[in-house]
Amino acid sequence: MKRFDQHPDKDDTDAVEREENTWVDTDGKSHGQVRLIIGADLLVCSNDAELVAETIECALMEGGRAVILGASADKRFGVAGFPAACRALGLTVVVDENILEASNAISSNAAQQERMDDLELGGYNQRFNTFGHDFTMFTINKPSTATA
């Protein structure tokens, strides 16, 4: 998979030094990597899987974590390919599918109830599913590399 250019206006000869441990926002400003990324509804189109995975890989520091919540794969094209796109970049991924369905079936699970409480704070009503679909949550970790 070809990575997108994080610094398109810079000379390639010295870009390696500047690209390490940085990412570029939509205004072209460089930033240091972060420990935590939280995102929602980022995977809409089929090419979003690779683009979001590459962005997470660039922006997340080693040992960091990203939590991405989105619609289920039957509602968004980019969801199905996202785990493979992350793994291709060396990221680890845990996928929790059908969060709402699982919550209704296992109401005694404290972690699941906590997720439901968070969704309800965001406007989801458990009795009346105003979203019309279920959710998939991705927990992505960027492993630390050993240095000798």
Side-chain angles (χ1 to χ4, degrees):
M1 174 185 317
K2 185 178 181 227
R3 297 181 56 125
F4 62 96
D5 186 1
Q6 277 284 304
H7 297 276
D9 298 329
K10 306 251 186 316
D11 181 4
D12 285 341
T13 57
D14 55 67
V16 174
E17 288 282 330
R18 284 181 254 165
E19 282 187 40
E20 191 171 342
N21 300 324
T22 65
W23 61 280
V24 178
D25 66 20
T26 55
D27 294 326
K29 185 177 178 186
S30 290
H31 301 275
Q33 291 178 320
V34 296
R35 188 177 322 270
L36 177 65
I37 296 172
I38 299 173
D41 208 18
L42 302 174
L43 304 164
V44 178
C45 301
S46 58
N47 65 335
D48 289 342
E50 289 181 359
L51 296 173
V52 172
E54 289 174 354
T55 301
I56 289 171
E57 198 281 327
C58 286
L60 198 62
M61 66 175 41
E62 289 184 3
R65 173 173 288 176
V67 179
I68 308 298
L69 180 69
S72 55
D74 63 334
K75 299 292 182 188
R76 298 285 192 268
F77 294 114
V79 171
F82 186 62
C86 288
R87 290 181 185 117
L89 296 171
L91 303 169
T92 62
V93 184
V94 175
V95 181
D96 291 318
E97 295 179 307
N98 303 319
I99 291 175
L100 302 180
E101 182 180 307
S103 177
N104 291 335
I106 309 170
S107 60
S108 63
N109 182 333
Q112 199 70 35
Q113 186 58 48
E114 186 176 330
R115 287 185 193 137
M116 283 306 302
D117 292 344
D118 290 344
L119 287 171
E120 286 175 357
L121 286 174
Y124 172 78
N125 185 319
Q126 195 168 357
R127 296 176 99 187
F128 308 102
N129 183 346
T130 56
F131 295 114
H133 58 268
D134 212 331
F135 296 94
T136 300
M137 184 171 70
F138 301 96
T139 304
I140 302 107
N141 293 299
K142 186 173 186 178
S144 298
T145 56
T147 56

